[in-house]
Amino acid sequence: MSQTQVLARKWRPKKFSELTGQEHVVRALTNALEQNRLHHAYLFTGTRGVGKTTIARILAKSLNCETGVTASPCGVCPACLQIDSGSFIDLIELDAASNTQVDNMRELLENALYAPTGGRYKIYIIDEVHMLSKSAFNAMLKTLEEPPAHVKFVLATTDPQKIPVTVLSRCLQFNLKQIPQAQIAGHLKNILQQENVPADDVSLQLIARAAQGSMRDALSLLDQAIAFGEGAIAETGVRDMLGIIDQGYLFDLLEALAQKNGVQLLTLADEMEAQCLSFDLALQDLAALLHRIALAQTVPQAIGEDTPDYARIFELARLLPPDDIQLFYQIALHGRSDLSLAPDEYAGFTMTLLRMLTFMPDDMTTDRPAQPAKQPAATIAQPQKPPSPVKPAPVAAAPVENTRNADASNLGWPQLSQQLKLTGMAKMLAQHSEAKVLSADSVELYVPEVHKHLLDKKYQDKIQAALDTYFGKPVRLSFTVGALSGLTPAALQQREEQQKQADAIAAIEQDPVVQELIEQFDAKLIVSTIKPIEQ
């Protein structure tokens, strides 16, 4: 019984015209070959599976094809066939990862002095060349400085930063790009049509996305998907194979945010935990979904109709304001980076969702009563002078000046910022600020260095407009990068949540039933599972 050849080898390009996604490299090499402007050393850089070794082998055929040096080798002469099969005597391939020593390099370079046995050029392909030792690089350098006319070096690496500058300067360098997802999906579709394997477009998009720019990885995943689906490829099977989070959960989470439903958010998180889904992967996919929604809002033509969940993407693009999408994206990224610091993944994931909820418009949760707010004036007054520019230097801690008039005497900045009805990034800026001066005439806010990226003028302008509306007259607003006491509204809220958590843990630990279970059955209290109950 004949053995089936894996797709990555069966469909490996054998000529430049068959390559996908590296047009800039193909164009340069084609021009050089057609004009006979040949270099003695080429360096191909790029991540795994983007075509470095494949291009090196095609270049070897171009240089040794019996029809002459050409950008379109015939593919049928003995030289072309032998290079394709790996049996061409004048093509020497070396894996530097397993041949790092200087002795290997010296032996290789000594053989380079001899003329080719059957070809026009002796070609040395050295993969992962950055793994060579310093002595091996020095040995190579001597040959690169005065190479024999019949020798061509083709070096490949995923990490060009580790190659000595003296070697780099003697090579013609080409940087291979990661292959776009759409090109990978299109190539996979073409292959499956010729292999007579049925597949839907959504499955191919999922595989192409999982390959992360590597055509070799995409073909390996395609092989796996064919085996997983017993000869056919379907979306459900591909999602199971890749361990992809059911996108329905992510859409449901964003819809719960749009509906201001905190209870539904936690219910969905509980369902995801019950299915043992990866919360790290969930946040990664949530950020990717938010990116697609942002595209739908700003450049809708960038979302093709064959995009998975096309209709739901545009529905959320209509429901959620662009500012909130940008904010959710940043929160998802930060939540994922902080996941390892959380008490557990569930806590880190739900805290990220609650953070999104917190910075949405007020009265987001259905079971938290709305706080009373003062009646704003009917018209928005324009400020008499623009906000002062941001001062660059941090300022030492100082107490809040006692300049509040009767209208603001009962309010601190945490309370006032809640009543300004801010949303999105403007609300986040307010929550991460402290007031040094707070009155109906003047508000001076300090923003910690770590949050200075929030000081966008349009977010400052939104706070300015909200203050003018609240007090019914122009208010002088200024921002300074620095810190006072560190007790921003966000810090106070975090402190309050930590205290609630500590009180909840203490209450459970002191519960007589719990203590009896610990004493009699040597039970252990899993602190990370304790959640405070909102009153």
Side-chain angles (χ1 to χ4, degrees):
M1 186 173 68
S2 61
Q3 186 177 2
T4 303
Q5 193 174 22
V6 297
L7 295 176
R9 294 190 62 186
K10 182 177 180 180
W11 292 95
R12 187 171 202 158
K14 292 182 171 57
K15 49 189 177 182
F16 287 127
S17 60
E18 295 176 357
L19 280 164
T20 302
Q22 307 299 347
E23 290 79 6
H24 63 299
V25 177
V26 170
R27 188 183 308 114
L29 292 176
T30 298
N31 291 339
L33 289 163
E34 289 177 348
Q35 298 169 20
N36 201 29
R37 298 175 64 87
L38 304 178
H39 203 272
H40 64 277
Y42 298 85
L43 173 63
F44 298 126
T45 67
T47 57
R48 69 187 190 283
V50 293
K52 298 186 296 296
T53 308
T54 295
I55 291 178
R57 290 177 181 173
I58 296 174
L59 180 59
K61 287 196 293 185
S62 296
L63 293 171
N64 282 296
C65 180
E66 292 184 4
T67 62
V69 175
T70 174
S72 303
C74 68
V76 295
C77 70
C80 288
L81 293 174
Q82 288 170 19
I83 290 174
D84 283 337
S85 65
S87 59
F88 189 62
I89 195 169
D90 290 318
L91 175 61
I92 300 94
E93 294 194 39
L94 180 73
D95 180 9
S98 54
N99 295 275
T100 61
Q101 300 305 312
V102 65
D103 291 340
N104 301 107
M105 184 55 61
R106 282 176 179 159
E107 182 181 353
L108 180 147
L109 296 173
E110 286 172 2
N111 291 330
L113 298 175
Y114 299 103
T117 302
R120 189 176 297 107
Y121 291 100
K122 186 173 283 189
I123 313 292
Y124 289 89
I125 298 177
I126 306 178
D127 199 14
E128 297 300 349
V129 68
H130 68 274
M131 299 289 287
L132 291 176
S133 66
K134 184 177 180 180
S135 300
F137 271 124
N138 288 336
M140 179 193 292
L141 189 59
K142 294 179 181 178
T143 305
L144 289 177
E145 288 173 343
E146 298 179 4
H150 60 266
V151 172
K152 301 294 180 187
F153 286 95
V154 185
L155 314 179
T157 180
T158 55
D159 195 355
Q161 304 296 327
K162 294 182 180 178
I163 299 177
V165 176
T166 50
V167 173
L168 287 175
S169 64
R170 288 167 173 81
C171 299
L172 202 59
Q173 184 172 341
F174 296 95
N175 183 31
L176 278 65
K177 301 178 294 185
Q178 287 188 318
I179 304 171
Q181 180 178 322
Q183 285 188 304
I184 292 178
H187 188 59
L188 298 184
K189 185 174 184 178
N190 180 53
I191 288 174
L192 290 177
Q193 287 174 346
Q194 297 183 62
E195 293 282 337
N196 293 317
V197 175
D200 59 276
D201 290 340
V202 173
S203 296
L204 299 184
Q205 291 283 350
L206 293 173
I207 291 173
R209 188 174 71 185
Q212 297 183 333
S214 168
M215 185 63 78
R216 185 175 65 230
D217 285 3
L219 291 170
S220 297
L221 289 171
L222 193 64
D223 258 327
Q224 188 178 345
I226 293 172
F228 193 89
E230 299 180 352
I233 298 177
E235 180 183 352
T236 304
V238 170
R239 288 189 182 279
D240 290 343
M241 179 192 80
L242 296 175
I244 293 176
I245 300 293
D246 184 352
Q247 296 290 294
Y249 278 120
L250 305 181
F251 283 101
D252 290 345
L253 287 170
L254 292 179
E255 285 175 358
L257 281 171
Q259 296 163 6
K260 311 173 183 179
N261 192 336
V263 174
Q264 178 66 3
L265 278 178
L266 295 181
T267 300
L268 290 167
D270 290 342
E271 290 179 9
M272 295 171 70
E273 183 183 41
Q275 294 194 25
C276 301
L277 298 178
S278 166
F279 287 123
D280 178 73
L281 189 58
L283 288 174
Q284 174 183 311
D285 286 356
L286 183 60
L289 174 57
L290 289 165
H291 170 250
R292 293 196 292 277
I293 294 171
L295 285 175
Q297 290 175 331
T298 55
V299 193
Q301 60 269 29
I303 307 294
E305 292 187 10
D306 59 342
T307 301
D309 302 301
Y310 176 86
R312 294 193 77 178
I313 288 173
F314 278 89
E315 176 62 17
L316 282 171
R318 183 186 64 81
L319 286 175
L320 290 165
D323 275 3
D324 288 346
I325 294 297
Q326 296 293 330
L327 176 64
F328 293 164
Y329 180 78
Q330 290 295 329
I331 292 175
L333 294 184
H334 284 296
R336 188 180 179 212
S337 65
D338 292 345
L339 206 56
S340 61
L341 304 176
D344 54 63
E345 280 208 351
Y346 175 87
F349 181 69
T350 52
M351 195 65 185
T352 301
L353 297 179
L354 293 175
R355 193 172 295 131
M356 293 178 180
L357 197 60
T358 299
F359 290 111
M360 283 284 283
D362 288 338
D363 305 327
M364 288 297 301
T365 52
T366 56
D367 36 15
R368 179 181 296 176
Q371 302 211 353
K374 291 188 178 183
Q375 183 66 31
T379 58
I380 300 178
Q382 296 298 321
Q384 296 174 344
K385 54 196 302 186
S388 300
V390 176
K391 301 174 187 176
V395 180
V400 175
E401 293 180 11
N402 187 19
T403 58
R404 298 183 185 97
N405 65 8
D407 293 329
S409 59
N410 295 324
L411 289 177
W413 178 244
Q415 294 79 18
L416 178 57
S417 63
Q418 286 293 323
Q419 297 190 21
L420 293 180
K421 305 300 181 185
L422 297 166
T423 62
M425 297 296 282
K427 181 172 182 177
M428 180 172 274
L429 173 57
Q431 292 282 2
H432 286 290
S433 301
E434 285 185 84
K436 179 182 180 184
V437 176
L438 179 57
S439 74
D441 301 310
S442 178
V443 176
E444 184 177 343
L445 298 177
Y446 277 61
V447 181
E449 180 79 18
V450 70
H451 294 299
K452 68 179 182 180
H453 62 280
L454 296 171
L455 285 167
D456 189 288
K457 186 178 184 304
K458 64 181 178 181
Y459 307 141
Q460 296 183 44
D461 290 346
K462 287 184 178 181
I463 296 176
Q464 176 77 65
L467 286 169
D468 293 345
T469 301
Y470 184 86
F471 289 109
K473 63 178 182 179
V475 177
R476 184 182 180 278
L477 173 66
S478 66
F479 286 90
T480 302
V481 176
L484 298 173
S485 64
L487 298 179
T488 64
L492 290 170
Q493 182 181 357
Q494 183 179 19
R495 176 186 292 185
E496 180 182 349
E497 289 170 351
Q498 290 173 344
Q499 186 59 50
K500 287 181 180 178
Q501 180 69 17
D503 292 344
I505 293 172
I508 294 295
E509 288 176 339
Q510 295 168 14
D511 186 274
V513 176
V514 173
Q515 290 179 348
E516 185 176 355
L517 288 171
I518 292 174
E519 291 175 4
Q520 293 191 11
F521 299 100
D522 196 25
K524 292 184 179 179
L525 188 63
I526 303 176
V527 174
S528 62
T529 63
I530 300 174
K531 306 286 188 296
I533 299 175
E534 294 290 342
Q535 300 296 328

